[in-house]
Amino acid sequence: MSKGGVSPAEAPALVVSAALMGETAARVHVLTEAEGLVRGMVHGGGSRAGRALWQPGNVVRTAIRQRGETGLPAFSGELLYGCAGRLFSAPLALAMVQSACTLLDTTLPEREPCLPLFAATVRLLSFLGYDAEVSERDGMPHYIQWEAELLRALGFGLDLSACAVTGHVESLAYVSPRSGRAVSEEGAGEWKDRLLPLPAFLRDAQAASTVQDWRQGLALTGYFLARHAFGQRHQPLPAARERLAERLAQMGEAG
């Protein structure tokens, strides 16, 4: 932030939450590449046009003006990419967007840069919003890989490079719930029932996957999010994340 109180230049920002603030303003939280999560307000954000612009999931070219040392920053901006509005016919993909925005808003510290996570989030939203039919059918592996990236950004990344027991890189099929490290079929032995299944697509983005694989992947990342990101604060996973898991649980097997 410059000394004059205005960000040096307008920059893309992802809207992660928005709520009415008074009659016409809105309290808005955005994720930026350079400054991480920023909480502020938008004059006129409660109007019809304002609500459409500052909708969670949208990428907005945003300018941030800081009023004093403790005042709430004021945002202004213009739409670069609208994601959620493209997904009204794709409820599963829309649930992914809502879950991702809520997780960002509830896990990230304020004003800490998170360049890799910002890039990963924009990639996810670009994929989901490009074609509603494709994102509804194929978006889940992308979303779960994004949750793994969120865990890395929070300092709790999974280590899926080699078996924690044997050191081998072949036949990795599980993850230790204690260490977050991969375990092979051989290394699991009689302890496999105590390990978390590792779907192949989390190690190879090109691997084919089924609804069962998605359920296992979402359970895997959800376990570590619940333990590290929310459990330490004695909070449950956000309702938006739980709704996504419930929607996935209700789906039949693909094909």
Side-chain angles (χ1 to χ4, degrees), residues 5-230:
V6 182
S7 53
E10 293 182 342
L14 167 66
V15 182
V16 297
S17 72
L20 288 176
M21 184 179 179
E23 294 185 2
T24 60
R27 185 179 180 91
V28 176
H29 301 174
V30 300
L31 180 68
T32 67
E33 186 175 39
E35 297 189 62
L37 184 69
V38 183
R39 298 182 171 96
M41 66 167 295
V42 177
H43 295 288
S47 67
R48 183 175 180 179
R51 291 195 302 271
L53 174 62
W54 300 98
Q55 183 177 11
N58 283 355
V59 180
V60 177
R61 188 185 303 278
T62 305
I64 304 173
R65 181 181 295 276
Q66 180 70 51
R67 294 188 171 184
E69 294 295 327
T70 60
L72 198 63
F75 301 151
S76 61
E78 60 179 318
L79 183 66
L80 292 177
Y81 180 75
C83 183
R86 301 167 182 250
L87 297 174
F88 290 131
S89 62
L92 180 62
L94 183 58
M96 296 179 213
V97 173
Q98 294 170 339
S99 179
C101 289
T102 301
L103 287 174
L104 290 169
D105 194 30
T106 53
T107 61
L108 295 181
E110 196 167 2
R111 296 296 182 106
E112 288 192 14
C114 50
L115 278 65
L117 180 61
F118 180 85
T121 306
V122 172
R123 285 196 301 270
L124 174 68
L125 296 179
S126 298
F127 178 86
L128 294 177
Y130 180 73
D131 187 309
E133 182 177 347
V134 171
S135 62
E136 188 78 351
R137 184 183 69 239
D138 301 327
M140 205 68 207
H142 294 264
Y143 174 83
I144 296 167
Q145 289 160 352
W146 175 85
E147 283 200 352
E149 181 63 39
L150 174 62
L151 284 167
R152 280 191 288 272
L154 296 172
F156 308 114
L158 304 176
D159 182 354
L160 308 180
S161 59
C163 176
V165 179
T166 67
H168 298 164
V169 298
E170 299 85 8
S171 303
L172 301 181
Y174 306 96
V175 173
S176 166
R178 295 186 63 184
S179 67
R181 297 183 63 187
V183 180
S184 67
E185 286 281 2
E186 177 187 4
E190 63 183 31
W191 303 102
K192 65 175 58 179
D193 291 341
R194 301 187 182 185
L195 304 176
L196 300 167
L198 171 62
F201 71 83
L202 271 173
R203 296 196 68 243
D204 178 5
Q206 303 305 315
S209 60
T210 66
V211 173
Q212 180 61 22
D213 294 322
W214 304 346
R215 290 171 182 156
Q216 291 177 346
L218 199 66
L220 174 62
T221 52
Y223 173 86
F224 289 101
L225 283 169
R227 178 181 178 183
H228 296 298
F230 295 96

